[in-house]
Amino acid sequence: MKANLPTPRKHVLCSLLIFGLSIVSYCKTNPLYNNENPFNRNLVSVHSNFLITGEGGLVTANQTICAGTRPANLVLTGYAGDILNWESSEDSSFTSPSTIDNTLATLTGARVGQLSTTIYFRAVVQTANSGIVYSEYATVTTTITSTTWNGTSWSAGEPTQAVSAIIQSNFTSQGTNISACKLTVVNNATVIISSGDTVNIKGSLEVSEGSSVSFESNASLLQSEDSNPNIGDILIHRNSSPLKRLDYTLWSSPVANQILTDFSPNTVTTRFYTYNTASNLYDVVTAPSATNFNSAKGYLIRTPNNHPTTPTAWTGAFRGVPNNGDYSVSLDDNVLGQRYNLVGNPYPSPIDALAFVSNNNNSLNITGVLYFWRKTNGSLNSSYCVWTELGFTSNGEDGVTNPNGVIQTGQGFFVERLENLSESFVIFTNDMRASNSANQFFKTAATNAIVEKHRIWLNATSATGSFSQTMVGYMNGATVGVDSKIDGKNINQGDIVLTSLIEATPYAVQGRPLPFDNADVVPLSFSATTAGNYSIAIDHVDGLFSSGQTVYLRDTLANTVHNLTMAGAYTFASNAGTFTSRFEILYQSLLATPIFTANNVVIYSQSNEFVVNSGNAIMASIKVFDIRGRLIEEKKAINSNQTTINGGLANQVLLVQITSEDGAMVTKKVIR
C-alpha cells in the first residue's frame, strides 16, 4: 500500500482562512498535502471559490476612479507579521512590480498619486512561519469615459463622479449642479455657475486659454483631491454684508496669486491691513499693489471710496487658479490676551466651522472659538461676533445673521492660539468643505449633529442705541469650568459690554452642564463707558427656556429679582465702570425683602443736572445740602424711582438725602 503513495514533497507552512475558520496545514513532508493528492487539490479548489486569505492578508477595496485622479485609501487586513513595503503593477501577476516605501497597513491616495491606467496593489509581509508572503491584491480601475456639453445638451448624458465633463460651448448652470470626475472647459466657452449651484469634482478643473469660468456669489466649487491639480484662472464673486463707505470687512482669497489692490482697486492703498498678534493691532500693508493674499490668511480691507454711504452689499471678485487641497498657517504667540491670529477660508466654497475646530491638529492648537469682524463705521457697538460649538452672539450691526457653523467663501476670521506650545499651526483640508447657497456673508444652515442645547441670549442696550449680547447655554459636554470649543471669551470693547463670568474672566458665550439644575446661578459682568440708564432683556431662547423655564435677573445693587421671561426688559441706572458682582441669572425667583440702603442708589451727572435712581424703592422726597449742612434744594412728592436735581454750583461737594415712601432715609455724597 505504501509503495503506491506519491513521492513526498516539501511544503512550507500554509495558513488558510475560510469564512473566519483557520485551517493550518503543516506541509513539510506529509504526502497528504502535496499537489498530487486529491485532498490537496480540493483545498486549492476551495481557495479559488471562496477567496481564502493567507498570512499576507487582503487589500481593500477595489475601486474605479477617473483617469488623472488619486484613489481612495487602500487598507490591508487579516495579515500576520510585519509589512515590509507595498507593490504596484500594471498586471495582476506582478511580473515587474514597482516598490512603494510604506510599512503601514494603510496606503493613502497621496502616496499612490494620480493614476492614468488600471493598477494593481498588494502588500509584502514578513511572517514568522512562512517568511515573505504577498497579500491578495486590490484593483484600481481608471476610466476615461466623458460627456461633452455642446451648447444644448450633454453628449453622453449628465456627468457623474465616474465621468469626465467637457464643456466646449457656453454654459450657465441656472439651478443645476455639476458632479463629475473632472471638468475641462475648452473652445473659448463661457461658463457661469449661478448663485446657489455647486460644481463637485473629484479631480481637476482645467480652463483652457480663451475660455472663462465664473462662480457667482453663493456658488461653490467642491473638490476631493488632496493636492491642487487645477489649471487656468477662474473668477469667484463674493457679496459682503451690507456696508457703508469707510466700513471694513475681513477677506480671505479662494484663489492663488490674487493681488490685494486688484481685488479692491478703489480702496485707498493705505486701507489694506494684516493683523499683528504681538501688538493686538492691525498693520498697514506697505505695498498692496505688489502683495498677494497669502493662502488661508485674513486681511482687513476698507470698502472702495466710491461705495454708497447707505448700507449696501459690495461684490468682491477674486481671479486666479482656485485653491484646493491642504493649507497650513503658523500661529503667532505672545502673552495671554495676545495670541489672536487672523486666518481665513482658503477655498472657493464654504467650510464647516465645527469640522475646522474639531480637526485633530486644530483642536490641540486653538481654543475652538471663532471671531468674525462686523462693525459699521462710527458705531458705538463692539467689533466682533463670536461663534462656538454652543452658538453665536451678535454685535447688533445690520446684516449680521447666525452662521450656524459655516464659514463662507472669502471670509477671514480670528482664532486664539493655545498657550504653552513650542510650535503651533492650523490646517485646512478638503473634508472641511461644504456646499451652501445662503445669500449672506454669515450663513444659515442645518446643524452638523444632534446635540442637546438649551440657550438664552441676553441683550444690553442704552437709550443712545449701544448694544451688547451674551449667551448662556446648557449642553452635552459642558462644565462650569472652561470648555474648549464651547466657551468663547469676550474680546470686545464698546460703549457697553454684557458678559457672563467663568471665575473672573468675561465670556461672550458660556456653556453649562446638563442635566439642567434650576438652582444654578450664572454671574454676569456689565460695563459702561458713561453713566446713564440701561436695560437688559432676553433676545431669544430655545430648548427648555422656550417651553416653560423662567429666567430671572438679580440686581444685587438694587436688591431685586426681575422676571425677564414674563416682565420683559429690566431697566436700571449705572455709573461708568465695570461691575462684576451686580447682576446674576437665576432660574428661581428667590425674592428678598426690599432693603433701602445707600448701595441701592445711583447718582450720576447728566448735562447740568444729577440723575438720582433708587432702584426698586419709590422716592418720596430729596434734599440737597452743601458740605456745611445748608439746604440748597428740596424736591417733594416724587413718587418714582428716578428723578433729576440741580444741586448748586460747580466744584462743590453735596450731600443728597433721599427718603423713600416707607420712610427709610439714606444719604450719599456727590461732587458737582
Side-chain angles (χ1 to χ4, degrees), residues 312-543:
T312 307
W314 180 73
T315 301
F318 298 93
R319 182 182 295 277
V321 176
N323 292 334
N324 179 53
D326 295 349
Y327 293 89
S328 174
V329 181
S330 296
L331 300 178
D332 294 330
D333 190 21
N334 212 295
V335 298
L336 183 64
Q338 292 176 279
R339 298 191 176 100
Y340 295 98
N341 285 258
L342 178 53
V343 298
N345 177 3
Y347 302 116
S349 68
I351 59 176
D352 186 302
L354 187 56
F356 171 73
V357 300
S358 300
N359 172 271
N360 289 337
N361 172 83
N362 297 347
S363 62
L364 299 176
N365 286 272
I366 58 176
T367 61
V369 184
L370 308 183
Y371 300 91
F372 300 96
W373 172 282
R374 184 61 188 97
K375 185 175 178 66
T376 299
N377 185 56
S379 170
L380 299 176
N381 294 342
S382 56
S383 300
Y384 299 97
C385 302
V386 183
W387 176 90
T388 77
E389 183 182 355
L390 177 59
F392 175 80
T393 57
S394 171
N395 66 346
E397 295 290 343
D398 293 337
V400 174
T401 307
N402 188 343
N404 280 332
V406 171
I407 304 166
Q408 275 293 356
T409 302
Q411 192 164 31
F413 58 96
F414 279 91
V415 297
E416 184 184 11
R417 170 178 166 157
L418 293 173
E419 58 184 317
N420 300 324
L421 298 174
S422 58
E423 183 179 6
S424 180
F425 58 94
V426 292
I427 61 173
F428 295 84
T429 62
N430 277 347
D431 57 9
M432 299 173 186
R433 297 168 72 169
S435 177
N436 163 246
S437 59
N439 188 25
Q440 57 196 38
F441 210 74
F442 290 109
K443 184 259 182 190
T444 300
T447 55
N448 295 284
I450 298 175
V451 179
E452 185 178 351
K453 296 179 182 179
H454 311 276
R455 298 172 292 186
I456 312 156
W457 284 262
L458 294 181
N459 296 343
T461 54
S462 72
T464 58
S466 298
F467 177 92
S468 180
Q469 185 175 89
T470 193
M471 187 258 283
V472 174
Y474 295 78
M475 70 171 289
N476 309 103
T479 69
V480 293
V482 178
D483 304 304
S484 175
K485 300 186 296 183
I486 295 176
D487 300 314
K489 277 192 295 188
N490 174 68
I491 64 171
N492 283 308
Q493 296 298 324
D495 236 24
I496 58 175
V497 178
L498 177 67
T499 65
S500 63
L501 294 172
I502 300 179
E503 296 181 350
T505 303
Y507 279 78
V509 177
Q510 182 183 161
R512 311 281 288 186
L514 287 174
F516 173 76
D517 181 359
N518 69 355
D520 193 25
V521 177
V522 183
L524 301 177
S525 172
F526 174 79
S527 64
T529 57
T530 58
N533 288 329
Y534 301 94
S535 66
I536 295 175
I538 293 174
D539 183 87
H540 64 290
V541 297
D542 65 11

Side-chain angles (χ1 to χ4, degrees), residues 98-370:
S98 297
T99 299
I100 302 173
D101 185 17
N102 180 63
T103 59
L104 302 177
T106 298
L107 179 63
T108 65
R111 296 295 300 272
V112 172
Q114 298 174 356
L115 301 180
S116 58
T117 186
T118 297
I119 300 293
Y120 303 87
F121 294 90
R122 70 182 183 185
V124 182
V125 179
Q126 173 74 59
T127 69
N129 297 317
S130 305
I132 296 175
V133 297
Y134 300 98
S135 70
E136 298 282 352
Y137 62 77
T139 306
V140 179
T141 305
T142 59
T143 175
I144 56 174
T145 304
S146 64
T147 184
T148 301
W149 176 260
N150 59 21
T152 57
S153 62
W154 294 97
S155 62
E158 291 189 1
T160 67
Q161 285 278 300
V163 175
S164 293
I166 302 170
I167 298 178
Q168 65 178 17
S169 297
N170 294 348
F171 175 88
T172 301
S173 63
Q174 294 180 323
T176 61
N177 298 324
I178 295 177
S179 181
C181 188
K182 63 183 292 187
L183 175 61
T184 305
V185 182
V186 297
N187 198 37
N188 298 324
T190 297
V191 175
I192 299 174
I193 306 303
S194 305
S195 180
D197 295 342
T198 298
V199 174
N200 190 343
I201 53 179
K202 177 177 174 60
S204 61
L205 170 58
E206 300 180 8
V207 183
S208 65
E209 187 175 352
S211 300
S212 69
V213 176
S214 177
F215 285 75
E216 295 182 351
S217 189
N218 298 308
S220 300
L221 171 61
L222 300 180
Q223 293 177 271
S224 54
E225 278 285 337
D226 53 10
S227 64
N228 194 349
N230 297 323
I231 299 173
D233 290 352
I234 68 170
L235 197 61
I236 302 289
H237 297 280
R238 184 66 213 162
N239 292 342
S240 72
S241 294
L243 301 173
K244 298 187 296 185
R245 188 182 302 169
L246 306 182
D247 283 352
Y248 288 85
T249 297
L250 292 179
W251 292 100
S252 179
S253 178
V255 302
N257 301 320
Q258 172 66 67
I259 294 176
L260 291 172
T261 52
D262 288 352
F263 170 68
S264 187
N266 291 315
T267 293
V268 176
T269 57
T270 55
R271 294 296 180 261
F272 295 85
Y273 298 88
T274 56
Y275 191 73
N276 188 326
T277 297
S279 65
N280 263 356
L281 298 171
Y282 288 94
D283 288 345
V284 175
V285 177
T286 55
S289 61
T291 303
N292 289 331
F293 282 85
N294 284 336
S295 297
K297 293 285 286 185
Y299 294 79
L300 184 69
I301 301 175
R302 199 168 77 178
T303 53
N305 253 24
N306 59 353
H307 195 72
T309 56
T310 55
T312 307
W314 180 73
T315 301
F318 298 93
R319 182 182 295 277
V321 176
N323 292 334
N324 179 53
D326 295 349
Y327 293 89
S328 174
V329 181
S330 296
L331 300 178
D332 294 330
D333 190 21
N334 212 295
V335 298
L336 183 64
Q338 292 176 279
R339 298 191 176 100
Y340 295 98
N341 285 258
L342 178 53
V343 298
N345 177 3
Y347 302 116
S349 68
I351 59 176
D352 186 302
L354 187 56
F356 171 73
V357 300
S358 300
N359 172 271
N360 289 337
N361 172 83
N362 297 347
S363 62
L364 299 176
N365 286 272
I366 58 176
T367 61
V369 184
L370 308 183

Side-chain angles (χ1 to χ4, degrees), residues 65 263 268 302 369 386 392 397 460 465 468 572 579 581 593 610 652 656 658 665:
I65 65 171
F263 170 68
V268 176
R302 199 168 77 178
V369 184
V386 183
F392 175 80
E397 295 290 343
S468 180
F572 60 97
F579 308 94
S581 58
T593 302
F610 283 109
Q652 186 177 17
V656 181
I658 304 107
M665 184 183 299

